[in-house]
Amino acid sequence: MKRDIRELFNDIETEGKKLPKNHRMEFIEKLNFSTIEKPKKRHLGLFLKVAASIALIITFGYYMMNQKNSEINKPTSIQVQVQQIEKDYLQQIDDEWKNFVRATDDKELIKVYQQKLDDLNEDYKELSKSFKENTNNVMVLEDLIGNLQNRLQLLKDIQNHIKILNEKTNTYETLTL
Amino acid sequence: MPNNLKKLIEQSKKGNKRSQLKLYDSYCDAMFNVACRYLKNEEEAKDAMQESFLKAFLKLDTFKETISFGAWLKKIVINYCIDVLKQKKLETVSIENIPSEISNDDNDWKFETTITKQQIINAIENIPTKYSLVLKLYLIEGYDHIEISEILKIAIKTSRTQLRRGKLMLKEKLKTKMYEARY
């Protein structure tokens, strides 16, 4: 009796070879090292954030003017907007921080930047305290957003720096992928 | 293609790590088994599989829905494994060892029913790499000669010849198997 062996292989089931236990962790590491930055999108994001904050300041100014005339007080709506912007920024800062930590293995550098960010965060706490006391102060609002922007820029700058350094060292490496 | 897979692929294109990891989780076992067919060392197979995923994420834009995502991934894995093998240099075979090709019909793959799938796989492993590769790509992966010629970067004619010779070697190997089994 004979049969066509090609049909034998029509349904090739997984032969049940088991991956080593740590394969997932290992892959996560590899994945993190192969960070594919999409700078265009990020810049657009930053641009939108800046535009949003400018728009917020303008609306806030408009509120102030209105308040003087009609004494309508809506601090909650402004606070909600500020909270939203704050949330977005913190998310982005957090992401950039993770990228940064991934991009370098210089513990000292990470420490220095952690310190810088912590200082800015302390400032921010002070600022938001005074913002709660006086929601109508445009200067405080500007400082708040400026503080967040500083943090983000700080992380972006250092990452660019690392990137340039890496590019210099990698010039002679060929892409094996 | 199921919607959630579509979504995962879309997000992975944008560089979303979580989605990429989910894709990895769903396909890593199958792809590991594919890699193991070409690289005997499991550590090596695992690395090849993982690198293939990274490579796939980089060129997700080229994925078209005309084939399944699994089939697309598989091709990348196989290509990667072949590259690894090439780096190690495929062993060469002297002409004397090649059985003659008389009356060897391309479409005749009839083998004794007593021969099991596992026996065939084992026999393929014992054939020189050059021929076992074509055999695996044709029999196990189900690629046609056009696809095989692309993967191995050889002419279609060469792919046909190597498969024909591979088949003869396979028959030869299995013949001795039968012989051994009888005694």
Side-chain angles (χ1 to χ4, degrees), chain A residues 6 8 12 41 46 57 62 64-65 70 74 80 82 85-86 94-95 97 108 111-112 156 167 174:
Chain A
R6 285 176 294 186
L8 263 184
I12 183 89
K41 290 225 166 102
L46 184 64
I57 289 166
Y62 182 71
M64 288 256 304
M65 303 248 291
S70 57
K74 280 183 178 171
V80 167
V82 171
I85 287 192
E86 179 187 305
D94 193 42
D95 287 348
W97 172 257
E108 207 53 46
K111 220 165 125 189
V112 168
K156 280 185 191 288
E167 266 163 19
T174 45

Short mmCIF file of all heavy atoms in Angstrom, two decimals, chain A residues 6 8 12 41 46 57 62 64-65 70 74 80 82 85-86 94-95 97 108 111-112 156 167 174:
data_model
loop_
_atom_site.label_atom_id
_atom_site.label_comp_id
_atom_site.label_asym_id
_atom_site.label_seq_id
_atom_site.Cartn_x
_atom_site.Cartn_y
_atom_site.Cartn_z
N ARG A 6 2.59 13.93 0.66
CA ARG A 6 2.32 15.37 0.75
C ARG A 6 1.07 15.63 1.58
O ARG A 6 0.95 16.64 2.26
CB ARG A 6 2.17 15.96 -0.65
CG ARG A 6 3.51 16.11 -1.34
CD ARG A 6 3.34 16.61 -2.75
NE ARG A 6 2.65 15.62 -3.57
CZ ARG A 6 2.47 15.76 -4.88
NH1 ARG A 6 2.90 16.85 -5.49
NH2 ARG A 6 1.86 14.85 -5.58
N LEU A 8 0.14 13.91 4.08
CA LEU A 8 0.49 13.73 5.49
C LEU A 8 0.76 15.07 6.16
O LEU A 8 0.49 15.27 7.33
CB LEU A 8 1.77 12.90 5.59
CG LEU A 8 1.68 11.41 5.85
CD1 LEU A 8 3.08 10.87 6.01
CD2 LEU A 8 0.87 11.13 7.10
N ILE A 12 -0.08 20.36 9.48
CA ILE A 12 1.08 20.25 10.34
C ILE A 12 0.74 20.91 11.67
O ILE A 12 0.54 22.10 11.76
CB ILE A 12 2.34 20.86 9.68
CG1 ILE A 12 3.57 20.66 10.55
CG2 ILE A 12 2.17 22.31 9.29
CD1 ILE A 12 4.28 19.36 10.28
N LYS A 41 5.18 61.97 14.72
CA LYS A 41 3.96 61.92 15.52
C LYS A 41 4.16 62.62 16.86
O LYS A 41 3.32 63.35 17.31
CB LYS A 41 3.56 60.47 15.75
CG LYS A 41 3.07 59.83 14.48
CD LYS A 41 1.80 59.05 14.74
CE LYS A 41 1.12 58.69 13.45
NZ LYS A 41 1.32 57.33 13.02
N LEU A 46 3.35 67.20 20.62
CA LEU A 46 3.86 68.32 21.41
C LEU A 46 3.24 69.61 20.90
O LEU A 46 2.79 70.45 21.67
CB LEU A 46 5.39 68.37 21.30
CG LEU A 46 6.05 69.44 22.17
CD1 LEU A 46 5.82 69.16 23.63
CD2 LEU A 46 7.52 69.54 21.86
N ILE A 57 -5.07 79.35 27.87
CA ILE A 57 -4.74 80.63 28.47
C ILE A 57 -5.66 81.73 27.92
O ILE A 57 -6.16 82.57 28.66
CB ILE A 57 -3.25 80.97 28.22
CG1 ILE A 57 -2.39 80.04 29.07
CG2 ILE A 57 -2.95 82.42 28.58
CD1 ILE A 57 -0.94 80.02 28.68
N TYR A 62 -10.36 85.17 28.77
CA TYR A 62 -11.71 85.57 28.40
C TYR A 62 -12.65 85.43 29.59
O TYR A 62 -13.46 86.31 29.88
CB TYR A 62 -12.16 84.66 27.24
CG TYR A 62 -13.53 84.98 26.70
CD1 TYR A 62 -13.73 86.14 25.95
CD2 TYR A 62 -14.60 84.13 26.93
CE1 TYR A 62 -14.98 86.43 25.44
CE2 TYR A 62 -15.85 84.42 26.43
CZ TYR A 62 -16.05 85.58 25.68
OH TYR A 62 -17.28 85.84 25.19
N MET A 64 -11.86 85.64 32.70
CA MET A 64 -11.53 86.70 33.65
C MET A 64 -12.27 87.98 33.29
O MET A 64 -12.86 88.64 34.14
CB MET A 64 -10.02 86.98 33.60
CG MET A 64 -9.20 85.89 34.22
SD MET A 64 -8.62 86.37 35.82
CE MET A 64 -7.78 87.89 35.40
N MET A 65 -12.22 88.30 31.98
CA MET A 65 -12.88 89.52 31.52
C MET A 65 -14.37 89.43 31.81
O MET A 65 -14.98 90.37 32.33
CB MET A 65 -12.68 89.68 30.01
CG MET A 65 -11.21 89.70 29.61
SD MET A 65 -10.69 91.29 29.01
CE MET A 65 -11.57 91.38 27.48
N SER A 70 -19.74 90.30 34.66
CA SER A 70 -21.00 89.71 35.10
C SER A 70 -20.88 88.91 36.39
O SER A 70 -21.87 88.40 36.88
CB SER A 70 -21.56 88.81 33.99
OG SER A 70 -20.59 87.86 33.68
N LYS A 74 -16.86 80.40 37.44
CA LYS A 74 -16.85 78.98 37.08
C LYS A 74 -15.45 78.38 37.25
O LYS A 74 -14.85 77.93 36.28
CB LYS A 74 -17.28 78.81 35.62
CG LYS A 74 -18.76 78.87 35.40
CD LYS A 74 -19.02 78.60 33.93
CE LYS A 74 -20.50 78.60 33.62
NZ LYS A 74 -20.71 78.56 32.17
N VAL A 80 -11.02 71.65 35.85
CA VAL A 80 -11.14 70.39 35.13
C VAL A 80 -10.24 70.39 33.90
O VAL A 80 -9.51 69.44 33.63
CB VAL A 80 -12.61 70.13 34.71
CG1 VAL A 80 -12.70 68.99 33.70
CG2 VAL A 80 -13.44 69.80 35.94
N VAL A 82 -7.56 72.21 33.42
CA VAL A 82 -6.16 72.16 33.84
C VAL A 82 -5.78 70.73 34.21
O VAL A 82 -4.72 70.24 33.83
CB VAL A 82 -5.90 73.12 35.03
CG1 VAL A 82 -4.51 72.89 35.59
CG2 VAL A 82 -6.06 74.55 34.57
N ILE A 85 -5.18 68.69 31.09
CA ILE A 85 -3.89 69.00 30.47
C ILE A 85 -2.75 68.43 31.30
O ILE A 85 -1.79 67.86 30.78
CB ILE A 85 -3.76 70.53 30.30
CG1 ILE A 85 -4.69 70.96 29.17
CG2 ILE A 85 -2.32 70.91 30.00
CD1 ILE A 85 -4.47 72.35 28.69
N GLU A 86 -2.89 68.60 32.61
CA GLU A 86 -1.87 68.08 33.52
C GLU A 86 -1.72 66.56 33.33
O GLU A 86 -0.61 66.05 33.22
CB GLU A 86 -2.29 68.40 34.96
CG GLU A 86 -1.33 67.89 36.01
CD GLU A 86 -1.88 68.10 37.41
OE1 GLU A 86 -2.22 69.25 37.74
OE2 GLU A 86 -1.98 67.13 38.16
N ASP A 94 5.95 60.77 31.58
CA ASP A 94 6.22 59.41 32.06
C ASP A 94 6.74 58.53 30.92
O ASP A 94 7.72 57.79 31.07
CB ASP A 94 4.94 58.83 32.65
CG ASP A 94 5.22 57.58 33.43
OD1 ASP A 94 6.21 57.55 34.18
OD2 ASP A 94 4.48 56.61 33.26
N ASP A 95 6.09 58.64 29.76
CA ASP A 95 6.53 57.86 28.60
C ASP A 95 7.95 58.20 28.21
O ASP A 95 8.79 57.32 27.96
CB ASP A 95 5.62 58.12 27.39
CG ASP A 95 4.27 57.47 27.56
OD1 ASP A 95 4.13 56.63 28.48
OD2 ASP A 95 3.36 57.78 26.79
N TRP A 97 10.18 59.50 30.04
CA TRP A 97 11.10 59.05 31.09
C TRP A 97 11.46 57.58 30.87
O TRP A 97 12.62 57.19 30.95
CB TRP A 97 10.47 59.26 32.47
CG TRP A 97 11.27 58.63 33.58
CD1 TRP A 97 11.01 57.50 34.24
CD2 TRP A 97 12.50 59.13 34.11
NE1 TRP A 97 11.99 57.24 35.16
CE2 TRP A 97 12.93 58.23 35.10
CE3 TRP A 97 13.30 60.26 33.84
CZ2 TRP A 97 14.10 58.41 35.82
CZ3 TRP A 97 14.47 60.44 34.57
CH2 TRP A 97 14.86 59.52 35.54
N GLU A 108 24.37 57.09 36.72
CA GLU A 108 24.65 58.43 37.24
C GLU A 108 23.77 59.46 36.53
O GLU A 108 23.17 60.33 37.16
CB GLU A 108 26.14 58.73 37.03
CG GLU A 108 26.74 59.71 38.02
CD GLU A 108 26.51 59.30 39.47
OE1 GLU A 108 26.72 58.12 39.77
OE2 GLU A 108 26.11 60.17 40.26
N LYS A 111 20.25 59.30 37.59
CA LYS A 111 20.11 59.88 38.92
C LYS A 111 20.01 61.40 38.83
O LYS A 111 19.15 62.02 39.46
CB LYS A 111 21.31 59.46 39.77
CG LYS A 111 20.96 59.13 41.21
CD LYS A 111 22.10 58.40 41.86
CE LYS A 111 22.56 59.06 43.12
NZ LYS A 111 23.81 58.46 43.62
N VAL A 112 20.90 61.97 38.03
CA VAL A 112 20.93 63.43 37.88
C VAL A 112 19.58 63.93 37.34
O VAL A 112 19.01 64.89 37.86
CB VAL A 112 22.07 63.86 36.94
CG1 VAL A 112 21.93 65.32 36.55
CG2 VAL A 112 23.42 63.61 37.58
N LYS A 156 13.37 65.22 26.40
CA LYS A 156 13.57 65.12 24.95
C LYS A 156 15.00 65.49 24.57
O LYS A 156 15.63 64.83 23.73
CB LYS A 156 12.58 66.01 24.21
CG LYS A 156 11.21 65.38 24.09
CD LYS A 156 10.31 66.24 23.26
CE LYS A 156 8.87 65.79 23.32
NZ LYS A 156 8.61 64.55 22.60
N GLU A 167 24.48 57.21 17.53
CA GLU A 167 24.68 57.20 16.09
C GLU A 167 26.15 57.22 15.76
O GLU A 167 26.62 56.56 14.85
CB GLU A 167 23.98 58.38 15.44
CG GLU A 167 22.59 58.01 14.94
CD GLU A 167 21.74 59.23 14.67
OE1 GLU A 167 22.33 60.32 14.52
OE2 GLU A 167 20.54 59.08 14.62
N THR A 174 26.76 47.16 10.91
CA THR A 174 25.82 46.93 9.82
C THR A 174 24.51 46.43 10.39
O THR A 174 24.48 45.80 11.44
CB THR A 174 26.37 45.88 8.84
OG1 THR A 174 26.89 44.81 9.61
CG2 THR A 174 27.43 46.47 7.95
#
